[in-house]
Amino acid sequence: MAWERGKERLQKALSGFLEMPKDVLMDYPKLTMIGNVQLVLENHRGIIEYSEEKMRIMVTGGQIEIVGEKLILKTILPEELVVEGHIKQVRFDI
Amino acid sequence: MRNWWSFWLGFLRIRIEGKQLEKFINLSASRGVPLYDLRREGPERMSAKVRLDGFRSLRHVARKTRSKVRIENRAGFPFVMTVMKRRRSLYLGALLFVFTLYMLSTFIWAVDVVGNEKVDKQEILQVAHGQGVQVGRWKPAIDLRETERAIMNNVPGLEWVGVYARGTRIIIEIEEKVLPQSPVVEGGQHVVAAKEGVIQRLLVLVGEEKVKEGDKVKKGDLLISGLIYAPENRLEVQQQDQDKLPDKVLLEKVQAKGEVWAQVWYETMIEEPIHLEGALPTGDVARQWRIKWRNQEIIIKGPSENPFEVSKEEVSIRTPLLWRNLQIPVELLEKEFYELRPYRQERSAEEAIVSAQERFQREVKATLTPGARILREMVVPQPADPGMVKVKITIETLEDIAKTEPFTSSTPQ
């Protein structure tokens, strides 16, 4: 555990020092939203729950919950997923 | 781009039924099988699109998650192909047709020569033929630039040659050399009078003068001779008897050149009515269209009769062409009536004379050589009928009457 924390601190320091985006170095999810109709999530770890109203997606260090209407998974690739529909809420449980 | 790819690879819409649908999605994503357009259709059911090449590995995923996968719809090129396979010869024929058409379009079907007036077309085509530019040859096998060079080098009288292909047609565009305007005369020539007149100034450039200033010459008289004789003989001729001509020593034959300025008179008698009468178009036009078939004519449009009191009519015939030379024996006639309005212009006798004078002046000016000028004009009224004027107009000009003439014609030597 101590080793893990040290690694995390080193990565944080490195990303600040090298001015590199945090999602590349630290596996943070990167969310891109177009209005409330499309959400592109990079660096996901899998889907936990999927229905038309609610979606829970595993990411590094926790979950992201998307609440909305008529949600569809437009694409799912090993690293990236695209959600479309009427998005109302995006909540982070990290 | 992704859609384009998926079309060629082919894709399936599948329905998945099971209790662990999230696990199904995660597993297929981690196996590198992308799912598209996932739709939840119920608590234990969803539909998705998957590429054809990824469908096979979904079977393992389905077994692991204990879900059923059913294909709902097929789309894309591989499935189009299976339909095509059933009608193979039809599509093969279509493909062959396109291919044949394309192949035929790579051959030369016509060779055109554009822009030649003096140079013979056959001569150009022959040189082009030698370079492979001929009907039936394969277009990529010929070098157009090389053909241009060959035509340029082998055909005389060309200024520029351009060879280019327009579709199956090879166009050889040429520009001919513009040669000097005055043709080169072989042998010597005389200068003779082009008009009757009194010589005012004589300027001999080449040759021997035969007239003096102040001489009256008739049309065709020798002015400057192109035959040069030895001077001593000329003296002898003057001293000796006129009827006994000695052998003159001809020194050389030259092309006589020079300017001979002479006073030339133009004279005419003009009779002109004092008052002018005529008719002018008013601009009002009535059009009549008729169809003519054998001897029958039917008016299809326009007035049946000429609506104007005074008019002029024009008829134009249009023969419709079916195709190339195929004619139908029906003619379309267009008859146009132009309305005219008579007019009468009142003039005084002086005005009539002036207009007659101007008319004659224009006529004379049209025949003058460049550089000539009008010296004097004389108008002498003559007795005339009532309502008419009659004048005698004389125009005196100074102009160059020199005209070259080769020896072959019978000019005095």
Side-chain angles (χ1 to χ4, degrees):
Chain A
M1 265 329 254
W3 189 84
E4 281 280 310
R5 278 239 287 283
K7 184 191 165 197
E8 204 169 300
R9 272 169 67 188
L10 187 72
Q11 278 178 336
K12 248 178 198 164
L14 209 62
S15 78
F17 176 68
L18 293 172
E19 290 182 8
M20 267 165 84
K22 290 198 167 50
D23 63 304
V24 176
L25 216 61
M26 301 191 58
D27 275 356
Y28 273 156
K30 183 185 175 187
L31 283 86
T32 314
M33 281 191 81
I34 299 168
N36 66 340
V37 292
Q38 196 190 47
L39 186 145
V40 181
L41 203 162
E42 286 165 54
N43 270 335
H44 74 89
R45 295 271 167 272
I47 289 167
I48 301 164
E49 194 189 332
Y50 172 42
S51 73
E52 282 210 298
E53 287 80 33
K54 194 173 163 193
M55 223 180 223
R56 282 195 292 148
I57 301 153
M58 184 103 87
V59 293
T60 312
Q63 290 177 11
I64 291 175
E65 192 178 299
I66 303 162
V67 179
E69 282 170 16
K70 291 178 185 166
L71 297 177
I72 62 164
L73 251 175
K74 193 74 190 166
T75 315
I76 177 156
L77 301 170
E79 293 283 304
E80 186 187 326
L81 60 85
V82 181
V83 179
E84 281 186 5
H86 193 78
I87 299 165
K88 285 178 178 166
Q89 260 183 55
V90 179
R91 208 166 66 220
F92 290 83
D93 295 330
I94 301 176
Chain B
M1 196 63 195
R2 191 186 280 168
N3 278 333
W4 189 81
W5 257 118
S6 53
F7 171 77
W8 286 108
L9 294 170
F11 49 86
L12 303 165
R13 176 159 279 284
I14 52 172
R15 175 168 288 165
I16 307 138
E17 280 174 26
K19 283 182 175 150
Q20 298 166 295
L21 291 179
E22 284 84 4
K23 200 180 170 192
F24 184 94
I25 297 169
N26 289 337
L27 271 176
S28 63
S30 62
R31 273 171 182 252
V33 182
L35 297 172
Y36 304 101
D37 269 348
L38 278 115
R39 263 170 235 271
R40 193 86 192 205
E41 290 177 338
E44 292 187 0
R45 207 164 78 163
M46 66 173 186
S47 76
K49 267 192 196 166
V50 66
R51 285 212 315 244
L52 189 62
D53 57 328
F55 182 69
R56 201 173 276 268
S57 42
L58 278 188
R59 267 172 47 195
H60 303 281
V61 179
R63 198 174 299 155
K64 256 186 190 170
T65 57
R66 285 186 198 143
S67 45
K68 284 183 196 164
V69 176
R70 220 175 65 218
I71 297 168
E72 293 241 300
N73 201 358
R74 302 172 170 88
F77 181 70
F79 304 107
V80 174
M81 267 309 283
T82 55
V83 176
M84 271 192 188
K85 269 176 195 161
R86 256 176 264 152
R87 301 173 159 195
R88 192 173 296 161
S89 41
L90 178 71
Y91 291 99
L92 216 68
L95 211 72
L96 202 73
F97 169 74
V98 171
F99 180 73
T100 312
L101 205 67
Y102 173 74
M103 279 315 290
L104 287 176
S105 75
T106 61
F107 288 91
I108 299 171
W109 286 94
V111 181
D112 272 4
V113 180
V114 177
N116 62 322
E117 276 169 24
K118 294 195 278 290
V119 180
D120 190 22
K121 184 181 170 186
Q122 290 305 321
E123 202 178 340
I124 296 163
L125 285 179
Q126 210 164 1
V127 177
H129 192 283
Q131 289 293 319
V133 178
Q134 54 167 307
V135 173
R137 280 295 181 95
W138 197 44
K139 235 175 358 178
I142 57 172
D143 187 352
L144 296 177
R145 298 288 89 76
E146 194 55 49
T147 313
E148 271 173 15
R149 226 163 290 140
I151 294 173
M152 197 68 201
N153 292 338
N154 294 324
V155 181
L158 298 181
E159 184 69 43
W160 174 84
V161 177
V163 179
Y164 52 92
R166 182 163 293 163
T168 58
R169 183 178 290 265
I170 297 284
I171 296 169
I172 301 172
E173 201 177 340
I174 61 165
E175 200 62 54
E176 285 173 359
K177 275 191 177 128
V178 178
L179 297 168
Q181 282 273 310
S182 57
V184 179
V185 181
E186 296 286 322
Q189 64 183 18
H190 292 303
V191 171
V192 298
K195 287 169 181 174
E196 192 180 324
V198 173
I199 293 172
Q200 297 289 314
R201 267 187 293 138
L202 195 63
L203 177 68
V204 179
L205 298 172
V206 182
E208 201 177 283
E209 59 181 85
K210 290 287 180 189
V211 286
K212 299 189 299 296
E213 280 162 11
D215 281 2
K216 190 163 192 262
V217 292
K218 285 202 290 293
K219 189 178 174 182
D221 278 0
L222 182 65
L223 303 175
I224 304 168
S225 173
L227 298 168
I228 313 276
Y229 296 102
E232 58 272 0
N233 279 30
R234 274 176 70 209
L235 286 170
E236 278 169 29
V237 171
Q238 281 171 359
Q239 286 163 3
Q240 278 176 355
D241 286 350
Q242 290 295 316
D243 45 35
K244 194 194 164 196
L245 281 169
D247 290 340
K248 290 194 228 171
V249 180
L250 186 64
L251 286 181
E252 58 176 331
K253 289 180 179 179
V254 293
Q255 293 188 352
K257 254 184 234 167
E259 285 180 16
V260 183
W261 290 87
Q263 242 173 330
V264 181
W265 286 272
Y266 299 88
E267 218 176 64
T268 189
M269 198 80 94
I270 291 182
E271 212 172 358
E272 174 129 338
I274 294 176
H275 303 301
L276 279 181
E277 278 177 0
L280 277 174
T282 59
D284 213 352
V285 189
R287 280 194 185 83
Q288 194 185 60
W289 290 85
R290 297 162 177 228
I291 286 179
K292 189 182 175 186
W293 186 65
R294 291 195 186 151
N295 290 326
Q296 288 175 316
E297 279 188 32
I298 306 157
I299 297 167
I300 52 166
K301 204 184 164 194
S304 54
E305 277 183 20
N306 188 353
F308 307 119
E309 276 177 40
V310 189
S311 68
K312 187 176 72 173
E313 58 181 61
E314 261 174 41
V315 181
S316 49
I317 301 167
R318 286 166 207 202
T319 316
L321 276 180
L322 271 188
W323 185 68
R324 296 211 178 173
N325 288 331
L326 219 62
Q327 282 188 349
I328 50 173
V330 178
E331 283 177 345
L332 201 61
L333 291 166
E334 188 192 5
K335 212 168 188 177
E336 283 175 315
F337 301 103
Y338 294 93
E339 190 185 15
L340 297 176
R341 181 169 46 83
Y343 72 94
R344 183 180 159 87
Q345 194 188 347
E346 305 277 340
R347 295 192 298 190
S348 66
E350 286 76 28
E351 279 172 342
I353 290 171
V354 167
S355 99
Q357 194 184 343
E358 277 171 0
R359 187 142 40 85
F360 184 55
Q361 222 177 56
R362 269 201 302 278
E363 271 173 38
V364 169
K365 268 184 184 159
T367 65
L368 290 183
T369 50
R373 60 197 169 90
I374 292 171
L375 294 177
R376 238 182 324 175
E377 272 180 69
M378 280 176 291
V379 183
V380 183
Q382 306 280 323
D385 299 331
M388 303 284 277
V389 286
K390 196 172 174 184
V391 285
K392 187 176 154 189
I393 305 171
T394 311
I395 294 177
E396 194 182 314
T397 64
L398 184 68
E399 60 182 297
D400 184 7
I401 60 166
K403 191 180 87 176
T404 58
E405 197 173 88
F407 286 150
T408 47
S409 62
S410 58
T411 41
Q413 296 189 352

